[in-house]
Structures are given as C-alpha cells and as structure tokens.
Amino acid sequence: MTEAAQLPLAVVLLSGGMDSTVCMAIAGKEYRLAALHVNYGQRTQERELQSFHDIADYYNAEHRLVVDISHLAAIGGSCLTDRAIDVPQPDLNANDIPISYVPFRNANILAIATSWAEVLGAEALFIGAVQDDSSGYPDCREEFFAAFQQVINTGTKPETQCHIRTPLLHFTKQQIVEKGIELGVPFEKTWSCYQGETIACGECDSCALRLRGFARAGAHDPLPYNHRPDY
C-alpha cells in the first residue's frame, strides 16, 4: 500500500474560489481528498463549476460530488441568487451583513457534506471560511462551526468521527494569498467574482477582497478583470 493510500479521507467543500482552493491544498497535505461542490442558483454557477472540476483534477481528488440545492435561489434574499437585487459596489469597511449573504447557506452545505462524509468514512470536513477579513457572514463565525460540530456529534452514528476543519478562519486575505503561493496553489484556475463569468468584474465585494489580498501580499492576481482597482 502506498503512503498516500494510508492517509485518512477528508471531504473538502470546494466552491472553486480562492479560499476553498487554498483550503484544499492544506487538506491534501494530511488527507486523501473528496471534493464537494454545490450549485445553489448563484449568478456565476457555471463558471464556479468549471473551476471546481479544474481544481479537483489538479489535486487528484479521489471522489467528487456536485449537488443541486437550488432551493436557496427559490428562497432568495441574496443578490447572489436573486437577479432582481443588484450586486452592490464594494464597501470593505462596512460592518453590516451584506446583501450577498445567502441565508444559512453553510448549514445547508455542511449538512450535505456530513451525510457524504458518513457514507465515505471521512474523518474531516474542510471548509475555507474566513471570519476576520471577509464579508462578515454569520455562518462563517467560529461559534457557528463549534455549534455545527455538536450537531454532527449528536446526529451521526456512534462510530462516525468527523471533525470540521477551518484552517483559514482567522487568516487575512493577504495571508491566504501568501499561504497559497507557498503551497503552489493554481490561482489562475479559481474564480471569485460574484457576477462575471468570463472576465471578473473587479467591482463586487468578493473581487475587491481578493484584489486587496493579492496587493497586500505583493503578488499579481492572474485572473482577468474588467476593472482592476489599485489597492
């Protein structure tokens, strides 16, 4: 048996964005990989799915699963899923929960990941959530993941031992870029924009946070941008 085959298995929540890809690179140092992606009716669904498959290929994911949870689009309440709500200009100093927040999305995704992990016998769930230097989503907080871990412990079989791992939770975007460079992450395969599918807009919160992270790390973001502000 090869050394890699002896590693335990982890389910990685892989959106195709910068954070989840760095998270996958971290997970791959300790685990065999099962990549999970959800389509939830987001504006850039097809582009994110392309990145998911490109990244899963790059990291030789042993398993991959794409799940449709478009009920989140039917529920609405977010500019990512409701095209009647405009994607706002970035405000990196805002303290309010932004309209890009998809209500309770991470709970939906973690529930699916837990089901799959239990079937696969995975020992960890990796999610690239960022609390300290991101959009301020309530389901990206440390206390949320601690609470969901209790849900997993209570609601799965006694022999299931699966732990949520959030290695980027207290990273800044700059640190995420630096970690990705250290690990040789293929940033050119990732996608972060909330509204563009061929060229990133450079004008949404996600683009702004990403571009600022690269700028502060003294690195060049390889994605094409319609507008590339100087951070």
Side-chain angles (χ1 to χ4, degrees):
M1 184 179 293
T2 66
E3 183 178 346
Q6 295 175 352
L7 293 175
L9 184 69
V11 171
V12 181
L13 279 59
L14 183 62
S15 69
M18 178 178 78
D19 302 340
S20 67
T21 305
V22 173
C23 191
M24 190 161 193
I26 292 170
K29 295 294 184 180
E30 303 177 56
Y31 294 89
R32 293 159 28 238
L33 301 172
L36 172 66
H37 183 80
V38 297
N39 293 323
Y40 57 93
Q42 67 270 41
R43 292 170 183 260
T44 56
Q45 179 170 290
E46 292 304 317
R47 183 62 184 82
E48 290 180 27
L49 182 60
Q50 176 189 325
S51 285
F52 164 76
H53 284 301
D54 289 346
I55 294 158
D57 287 344
Y58 185 87
Y59 286 105
N60 299 310
E62 188 172 314
H63 307 274
R64 74 181 71 183
L65 178 65
V66 178
V67 178
D68 182 273
I69 56 171
S70 54
H71 61 274
L72 291 181
I75 290 168
S78 168
C79 68
L80 301 191
T81 58
D82 186 344
R83 292 182 182 272
I85 304 174
D86 291 335
V87 176
Q89 292 290 305
D91 182 358
L92 301 186
N93 297 313
N95 294 316
D96 296 334
I97 296 170
I99 193 62
S100 57
Y101 165 62
V102 179
F104 218 43
R105 178 184 60 184
N106 282 346
N108 282 261
I109 299 172
L110 284 170
I112 295 165
T114 301
S115 295
W116 196 35
E118 190 162 31
V119 170
L120 294 177
E123 295 184 7
L125 298 178
F126 277 79
I127 180 169
V130 181
Q131 174 177 306
D132 295 345
D133 188 21
S134 196
S135 297
Y137 298 156
D139 57 355
C140 286
R141 295 174 297 159
E142 186 169 5
E143 53 265 43
F144 168 78
F145 294 110
F148 207 96
Q149 183 66 60
Q150 290 302 311
V151 171
I152 293 173
N153 297 344
T154 303
T156 55
K157 295 182 294 185
E159 61 267 29
T160 298
Q161 297 293 321
C162 190
H163 301 282
I164 299 173
R165 299 281 298 274
T166 55
L168 306 180
L169 194 64
H170 298 296
F171 274 41
T172 65
K173 289 291 186 181
Q174 174 184 339
Q175 290 171 322
I176 292 169
V177 172
E178 291 169 345
K179 187 67 174 178
I181 292 170
E182 175 191 328
L183 295 173
V185 164
F187 285 119
E188 71 281 358
K189 298 181 184 294
T190 66
W191 195 255
S192 302
C193 184
Y194 284 157
Q195 52 189 350
E197 292 198 277
T198 54
I199 299 177
C201 72
E203 297 179 327
C204 65
D205 269 352
S206 187
C207 282
L209 287 163
R210 175 177 173 134
L211 284 165
R212 187 176 70 176
F214 271 91
R216 289 181 173 178
H220 176 73
D221 185 347
L223 291 187
Y225 283 89
N226 184 52
H227 174 64
R228 191 184 284 260
D230 185 6
Y231 288 101

